[in-house]
Every structure is written in structure tokens, then in C-alpha cells.
Amino acid sequence: MKNVKSLILFGTTALMCCTLAACGETSSSSEGDSNSGSSEFVMPTTVEGKVAYAATLSRNELYKLAIEELDGKTMNCVGNSSRGKTAKEYFLAYLQGKKYNESTKAYEVDETIRAEFPDYKEDFTGAITWSQPKNNMIFAQIDADVRSSNHTLSMTLIQDGNQIQSKMLDTGFLLNYIPQEWAGDEASNGHPFALQSLNKVFEFNNLGTKTFKNVWDFVEEGNAPMFMGVDSEPVGKNFLYMLTNEHYSNIMKNAYDVYAATAGHEDFTATINDMATVAAELGLTATNAKYSLAWIKNWVEQYNEQTDDGPICTNLVKTSSVDQSGLLVYSKLRSVTETAESSKNNITVAAYQDDYVGVGGFMYKHYLQVLKTSPFPYASCAFIHFMTTTQDGFSAWGKDIGGYCSNPSANKDHSTDGAADKNNGVEVPAINDRGYDWWADQAETGGQMVIEDPTYCAQVNFAIGMWIDGLRA
């Protein structure tokens, strides 16, 4: 479908350009040409036109334009991930026909790159800056740049599907670009175009006696799972929004049925019945929305708010954190240093238990977009292309568990990261990442992750958002 759309787009662009040429706006033939009545293709001049044209180009064609556009200049980018700083250095090196050598810690000539991209420019002097706004200010920064008379930002790596939809896409501030060589699923990751999906998973300290075999165990009385506040990181609120749609509310209902048949369970029946009225008031149409609302109510009222996932992980792996639990970014486990007081093996990933029932956490995305006022649209598209079509381009993120490129061929296998021979002779099951396909699998044998849908989040944001805010007030 992507290629078909690209061909249609290319044909439309060419037709428009040919029409302009025929009207005398550009020279289309030389004197004595036997085809003097034909027209030449005219390169697009608008940002939107250039982004559309870029979608029809191969890697080499696009990168050549990027070099011409950026050489001797500086492109400014903004993103929610600091790893963009590493990715942009790899990209600039690629345009020079070089690659980073982990052994020498230097960028060196790479003959493989030079063979696949013969138009490299070794003396290329283009530069890219990468900034990471704090406190969710990225939307205000992009908004201000687009509205200004002096545009400085070119492209962005951005998260929070709800705000992206309502503030960036519905307004037309961001433009979508899908690379020709990208081999991902357009239906799930093409609109808006995603760099990667990231996991936040339910984990618990396994040194105590508490068991967490069901998603409803986390909201039992006395449990206070560690979680970043929904206002400090809005993707957490998107997770709660998504629970109320038809699909995930059915999973929550089925999980409750299993939970309610378990000895010693807590009775949530009264709360579930109360939420039937709330669901109607909020305009929710999902048959089992009351189950999700009951879970959300208990979760929001009980979670132990933290400022970041890093501290959550640091606390959860301690021997002193017996019976504690949390919902946090899976990749944080990578940074745990093994000591007498802290260990990755003090953690169990809830969904990895064979008898676990219910959602295993939630999956949000990093999206790559070009600003409608981008000073460097070709370089922006080329950078996006690099990050999503090669392992080198995605390696800044792909080196760790819990992050999955939208292009499967760019992913690295982490299914044996917990093997003893990689961990000083000790097995570490928690970091044997089962991969995107397993986590995204909605069957009971899969991870049943709640996957962010920008359109749905934007639709229910106002009503459910205010209700959630009231629970924590």
C-alpha cells in the first residue's frame, strides 16, 4: 500500500509540475529538440512538496539531496529521547562514508557504506543539533517555531499520541514521511510514522510472599505500585485511556473473571457496578468499560507516585523492597549494577509467568515527523530514513531490551540477554526480552500489551482525563 501511495503521489507531483512548465513558468526543451512539446520534471519548492517527493526516492537519491541541502549548514532537531544525539552522529558519519568503531571509539572509513552509497562526501561539513525539552515542553516549542517568522526546527522525535494528534497532526504542524525501503506495517506504524514501540511492564520484587498472577492483583488493597505520575508523563494517562476501549476492556473483564474465581481474592463487585454509571456519564460505549474504570479508579488512588522510571527500577531491585511492585520502562533493568543489596534477579516480569492473566503493561511509541516549516526537509527525511531502515541507524535504541523498531529488519535479538555466559555465569531471566511480536500478541499466550492509539486517546482525553484528575485530587 505504501508503494502504491508513493507512486500516486509521485505521479500527481509530476503532473502538476508539467502543467506549470507548459504554462511557461519553466523551460521544458532546448532548441532543435525533436520532443520540443514535452515537459521536464520540476523539483518541488515547498516543504510539503519536498517531503512528498522524498517518499518516492531511494536511499541513495534522498541522501544525495540531503548532502546538497545540508553541507556547510546546521539542522536543528528536537526529541523526547536523548539517544537522538548518538543517532545523528552516526547519520552524519554515514554521509561521509564512515562508521563508528566501538573498539577504537572513532569514526572510520567504511568500505561497505561507500559501496552502497557511492555519492558519499568525505569532506561533508553539515551539522545537526539535538535538544531534549523537559517537562513535556516539546509541543509548545514546536508550536512556537511553526508560528514564528524565523523557523529553526526541522524535524522531531516525539511521544504522547494524544497530544500529537490534537496539537500537531490536526493542526497540520507536522508532516508524515515514510521511507521507500521501510519494511514495517503501515497500518500500525505508518500514520503517524513511528520510530519504535517501547514497553512499560508490570514488575514485582520476588523476595517476599506476595504473588502477582493477575493484573487485578496490582490494585488490591494494601498494594501501592510505583508509577510515574500521569501528569509528569502523559503516556501513562494514555495507557489508562486505552483500557476503556472495547478490546482492552474485554481483556480486563476476562481477567477479573479469573481473578474472582481465585481463593482469597478481593471483591471489587461494588466498585465495578458503580462504574457502570460513570461509563455512561463519560460517554463510553464499550460493553465492559466498567471493569476498566474500576481498575483505573483503584490504580490511580493507590499508586506510589515517582518522578522517573529510573528511581522506580533502582528501588524495586533492592533486597529491602520485599513485595513491592511497579509499572515502568522495561529497559531500565539494563542499568542495574549487581551488588549484595540490588539484583536484576530480585525482579519478576509479571507477564513472563506462565499463569499470569491480563495485560502485561503498555506500549507507547516514539514518532518521527518533519515540521511543516522545516528549513531542511530533505535532510530531515534522510535522517528519519537512516534511523528506521538500518540496524546502525536504530542502534542507539536497539542495543537495549524493551525498544522495538517499526522496521523489523532493524531490530536486534535480545531473547538471550539473560544467559549465564553474558552475565558472569548467572542466569537473569528478567532480561530475556521476548520481542515485539510476543509483547504485542493479544492472545492469552502473548504479552497482551495495551498499545497506544493516538486517535482514540484524543477522542476520550477531555472526558476521561478530567475524571482521572479528580481521583488523584
Side-chain angles (χ1 to χ4, degrees):
M1 180 62 74
K2 169 170 65 69
N3 291 333
V4 173
K5 290 182 178 177
S6 296
L7 289 171
I8 294 173
L9 183 57
F10 178 79
T12 303
T13 304
L15 179 60
M16 291 174 63
C17 294
C18 290
T19 302
L20 290 173
C23 292
E25 295 203 19
T26 184
S27 175
S28 61
S29 63
S30 58
E31 197 169 327
D33 188 341
S34 61
N35 295 317
S36 59
S38 64
S39 300
E40 294 180 354
F41 170 71
V42 179
M43 293 289 285
T45 57
T46 66
V47 174
E48 187 172 4
K50 290 178 180 180
V51 171
Y53 179 50
T56 71
L57 302 177
S58 68
R59 172 187 286 108
N60 289 357
E61 292 169 332
L62 178 59
Y63 288 16
K64 184 177 180 180
L65 285 177
I67 288 175
E68 295 172 358
E69 182 182 66
L70 188 58
D71 199 12
K73 305 180 183 73
T74 299
M75 179 171 77
N76 299 313
C77 305
V78 61
N80 283 122
S81 171
S82 61
R83 299 188 188 194
K85 293 179 181 179
T86 301
K88 59 103 170 174
E89 294 298 334
Y90 290 175
F91 172 61
L92 293 173
Y94 187 97
L95 297 182
Q96 295 174 318
K98 298 179 180 180
K99 183 176 180 179
Y100 185 71
N101 186 319
E102 287 286 352
S103 299
T104 63
K105 307 299 181 186
Y107 290 93
E108 301 174 353
V109 169
D110 187 281
E111 296 303 334
T112 300
I113 291 176
R114 295 189 171 195
E116 69 184 17
F117 179 49
D119 291 314
Y120 71 89
K121 190 173 188 290
E122 188 164 1
D123 61 349
F124 173 70
T125 60
I128 298 174
T129 69
W130 186 274
S131 60
Q132 184 182 8
K134 301 298 182 182
N135 302 319
N136 205 40
M137 291 300 294
I138 191 169
F139 295 97
Q141 187 173 346
I142 293 174
D143 183 279
D145 193 88
V146 171
R147 295 180 187 275
S148 73
S149 57
N150 181 31
H151 310 297
T152 61
L153 297 178
S154 286
M155 62 80 63
T156 183
L157 182 161
I158 193 166
Q159 68 183 43
D160 184 4
N162 172 30
Q163 293 193 76
I164 292 171
Q165 186 68 48
S166 60
K167 296 181 179 180
M168 299 285 106
L169 300 181
D170 291 348
T171 59
F173 285 180
L174 297 179
L175 302 176
N176 208 52
Y177 159 73
I178 302 178
Q180 273 292 310
E181 285 86 355
W182 182 70
D185 177 46
E186 186 172 354
S188 59
N189 284 312
H191 304 278
F193 185 60
L195 166 67
Q196 65 172 336
S197 297
L198 302 101
N199 282 354
K200 286 209 177 192
V201 302
F202 289 110
E203 300 175 6
F204 63 93
N205 185 292
N206 54 33
L207 298 179
T209 58
K210 282 189 177 180
T211 59
F212 296 86
K213 300 287 189 177
N214 192 300
V215 67
W216 287 86
D217 288 331
F218 292 98
V219 295
E220 286 183 340
E221 185 176 358
N223 286 339
M226 289 180 279
F227 182 61
M228 284 187 68
V230 293
D231 292 321
S232 61
E233 190 178 41
V235 293
K237 188 175 279 188
N238 291 347
F239 157 58
L240 303 180
Y241 294 162
M242 291 304 303
L243 284 176
T244 67
N245 79 3
E246 187 75 37
H247 174 71
Y248 295 113
S249 61
N250 288 342
I251 291 178
M252 296 301 286
K253 192 267 185 187
N254 292 338
Y256 184 74
D257 288 345
V258 174
Y259 173 81
T262 304
H265 73 276
E266 183 174 332
D267 189 358
F268 291 104
T269 304
T271 304
I272 292 171
N273 290 337
D274 288 344
M275 291 302 104
T277 301
V278 175
E281 293 172 346
L282 296 176
L284 299 176
T285 58
T287 304
N288 294 311
K290 63 182 180 180
Y291 289 89
S292 290
L293 292 179
W295 190 94
I296 292 168
K297 181 178 185 296
N298 284 275
W299 176 264
V300 173
E301 291 177 343
Q302 294 173 204
Y303 71 73
N304 178 358
E305 183 171 351
Q306 302 291 309
T307 57
D308 192 77
D309 286 324
I312 296 177
C313 186
T314 299
N315 288 329
L316 206 55
V317 299
K318 292 180 178 179
T319 56
S320 58
S321 297
V322 175
D323 289 333
Q324 294 296 306
S325 62
L327 178 56
L328 62 155
V329 169
Y330 184 28
S331 64
K332 293 298 180 182
L333 280 173
R334 79 187 187 279
S335 58
V336 174
T337 301
E338 297 293 317
T339 68
E341 293 77 30
S342 300
S343 174
K344 298 181 186 74
N345 276 335
N346 293 341
I347 289 296
T348 295
V349 176
Y352 284 173
Q353 301 173 106
D354 291 338
D355 53 352
Y356 179 79
V357 179
V359 300
F362 71 97
M363 187 178 282
Y364 66 101
K365 299 181 182 183
H366 280 162
Y367 301 96
L368 295 169
Q369 297 283 284
V370 181
L371 273 69
K372 67 178 289 187
T373 51
S374 172
F376 300 100
Y378 288 131
S380 296
C381 291
F383 187 22
I384 291 172
H385 185 291
F386 179 73
M387 288 186 281
T388 57
T389 63
T390 66
Q391 281 200 349
D392 284 344
F394 185 65
S395 62
W397 297 273
K399 63 183 180 180
D400 291 319
I401 59 174
Y404 316 102
C405 187
S406 62
N407 184 356
S409 63
N411 281 315
K412 182 180 179 182
D413 182 9
H414 292 287
S415 62
T416 61
D417 280 17
D421 60 355
K422 299 178 182 179
N423 296 278
N424 299 315
V426 179
E427 292 277 352
V428 187
I431 60 173
N432 284 330
D433 189 346
R434 299 189 182 184
Y436 176 84
D437 288 341
W438 185 86
W439 280 110
D441 187 350
Q442 297 299 300
E444 292 182 1
T445 53
Q448 291 191 314
M449 295 296 274
V450 176
I451 302 173
E452 181 183 75
D453 175 2
T455 302
Y456 183 80
C457 290
Q459 287 173 349
V460 301
N461 170 60
F462 181 74
I464 302 181
M466 291 185 64
W467 177 73
I468 291 173
D469 292 340
L471 297 174
R472 197 71 181 180

